[in-house]
Amino acid sequence: MVPEVSQYGYDPSLISYLQKDDKSIPLGSFTILKRGPKLYWYFNLSKGENRLIYLCSTDDDGEERSSFLNSIKILKRKQSGDTNPKKRKRLTELVDDHSEHLLLEGRSTRRGTERSINTIYSKRTYLNRFRNYVSQHPVSLSVVTKTSFRGYFDGFIDHLIDQDFSKTTIRQTLTTVIQFLDSLTDSDGTKPIITSHPISRKWVRERVDLPRSIEDHPSFYKRQNYIELVDTITRECRNIWKVYLETKVIPNPSKSVYFTSLLQLIYGFRIGEVFRCYLDEEIKDRFHNGKQGYSFLIKDDESEGWFFEVYFKKRHGIVFVDFRIYSWTEPPSTVSFINKKEMGGHFQTNIIDVMRKLFSTNRFLVRSDLVKFYQW
């Protein structure tokens, strides 16, 4: 490796994890080569033909934390054979693309891929039933956008019923296919594959007699409900911090439920990632037994924020936490905070700094024996 690699985010321990434990990238080595005035990431396979694989420029972080992490993402995509599905027109090919994308997600270490590999394989099975039906009853992609496509989909529903699948299996199959159709309308900054389709969950439920217990219940999962819940928990966190600043009395550890819930709602953490979070990497190296997933904290002094480095369920991710708790009483000098008081504002303390002060042990961000309080 050339000396420049460290400044672009190179992490040998992450490579070892991805190759030996997660097995999501092949054996080989990352290297930086100079082409003209610029530097570029390459991957050199340990064996085979055409071993040197171009990845990206060292200036291209691809919205990742570093260009090195971006190069890993590109390597995974190239190894999976992923190509641009938007150049294709046949519906069966788009189904194949989506199926391969699911498989890539199941093998990914990227933060936010929450589904297990078993769930991924089940969804691929459900999706394959639709692919087989489309192969036997070809339909053009242009028809998918029209109301008449409901008649075609009715035929697919009848086909599933004729196969004597259980109602649960039919429901899961139809849900997976609708998710696939929805994905065709998603835009990643370019033109979506289709603008819309007429197959909604409500329309499907009107045609299939599904048990009420397994129907979708979307009433709670509304944006307004989410906003109100975040607002309620934020106020509670602010009040807990306020009382401490005024009394200097550490709150009951059970109060940490509000802070952990806020991290889950805003940043999408699993609860295990929060209560298995070590205070720093050195503590993790000293005490982690290697049998469970874990995360640890990295302070970002420039932004007064914290990075969560997460290794959980064979996935790796980095999440930046910048949420701040406001107060009108100045925090103690042992806590890092931002002073906006002189500008007519208030004191701002990162939620992780607050949790470290109020709830942390000598190892973890919160007490892991309090899991019962998180199941509310």
Side-chain angles (χ1 to χ4, degrees), residues 262-275:
L262 200 56
L263 290 176
Q264 287 182 275
L265 286 168
I266 296 177
Y267 298 100
F269 286 111
R270 300 180 181 92
I271 189 59
E273 294 170 350
V274 178
F275 73 74

Side-chain angles (χ1 to χ4, degrees), residues 241 244-245 298-306 321-327 329-340 346-358:
W241 183 229
Y244 167 76
L245 294 177
I298 303 172
K299 179 69 172 178
D300 181 31
D301 294 321
E302 291 186 5
S303 64
E304 297 293 333
W306 290 85
V321 175
D322 56 356
F323 188 85
R324 295 169 182 170
I325 306 293
Y326 294 171
S327 67
T329 302
E330 183 174 351
S333 58
T334 54
V335 176
S336 176
F337 61 89
I338 298 174
N339 187 354
K340 298 285 186 178
H346 36 246
F347 300 99
Q348 301 178 7
T349 310
N350 187 280
I351 186 173
I352 302 303
D353 288 297
V354 173
M355 294 176 69
R356 285 169 64 95
K357 185 66 177 179
L358 300 184

Side-chain angles (χ1 to χ4, degrees), residues 128-319:
N128 193 51
R129 294 191 181 117
F130 181 64
R131 189 202 188 284
N132 290 339
Y133 183 80
V134 174
S135 297
Q136 297 169 10
H137 307 84
V139 62
S140 68
L141 191 58
S142 61
V143 173
V144 176
T145 64
K146 300 176 181 179
T147 304
S148 59
F149 183 63
R150 288 179 172 176
Y152 181 90
F153 208 80
D154 262 330
F156 175 58
I157 294 174
D158 290 340
H159 170 74
L160 294 176
I161 295 173
D162 291 342
Q163 299 299 307
D164 289 328
F165 291 123
S166 69
K167 290 182 179 180
T168 299
T169 299
I170 292 175
R171 174 218 176 235
Q172 291 170 334
T173 300
L174 296 177
T175 298
T176 301
V177 174
I178 292 174
Q179 290 171 346
F180 158 68
L181 295 174
D182 289 343
S183 74
L184 300 182
T185 67
D186 288 342
S187 174
D188 56 2
T190 60
K191 186 178 179 181
I193 299 173
I194 59 175
T195 56
S196 63
H197 68 84
I199 309 302
S200 66
R201 289 163 179 77
K202 179 180 178 182
W203 180 83
V204 169
R205 283 199 299 271
E206 291 173 351
R207 281 152 179 78
V208 183
D209 180 22
L210 299 178
R212 179 170 294 276
S213 60
I214 61 172
E215 286 186 359
D216 293 332
H217 295 280
S219 58
F220 176 78
Y221 301 99
K222 293 181 180 178
R223 178 177 176 81
Q224 187 58 38
N225 290 342
Y226 169 82
I227 293 172
E228 291 175 359
L229 184 58
V230 169
D231 184 60
T232 298
I233 297 177
T234 299
R235 288 200 306 270
E236 190 63 34
C237 291
R238 189 180 301 142
N239 288 335
I240 293 170
W241 183 229
K242 174 186 175 183
V243 170
Y244 167 76
L245 294 177
E246 292 175 350
T247 66
K248 300 300 185 290
V249 176
I250 296 293
N252 188 296
S254 65
K255 296 290 186 180
S256 62
V257 65
Y258 295 104
F259 293 82
T260 57
S261 296
L262 200 56
L263 290 176
Q264 287 182 275
L265 286 168
I266 296 177
Y267 298 100
F269 286 111
R270 300 180 181 92
I271 189 59
E273 294 170 350
V274 178
F275 73 74
R276 292 293 301 174
C277 178
Y278 292 92
L279 294 178
D280 57 45
E281 187 172 14
E282 181 182 352
I283 293 175
K284 182 271 297 181
D285 290 340
R286 262 195 294 156
F287 296 106
H288 186 62
N289 58 20
K291 295 181 180 180
Q292 295 177 297
Y294 63 87
S295 58
F296 59 84
L297 295 169
I298 303 172
K299 179 69 172 178
D300 181 31
D301 294 321
E302 291 186 5
S303 64
E304 297 293 333
W306 290 85
F307 288 103
F308 266 71
E309 184 120 10
V310 180
Y311 292 81
F312 206 80
K313 293 190 176 181
K314 295 185 178 181
R315 294 182 173 89
H316 167 259
I318 299 174
V319 182

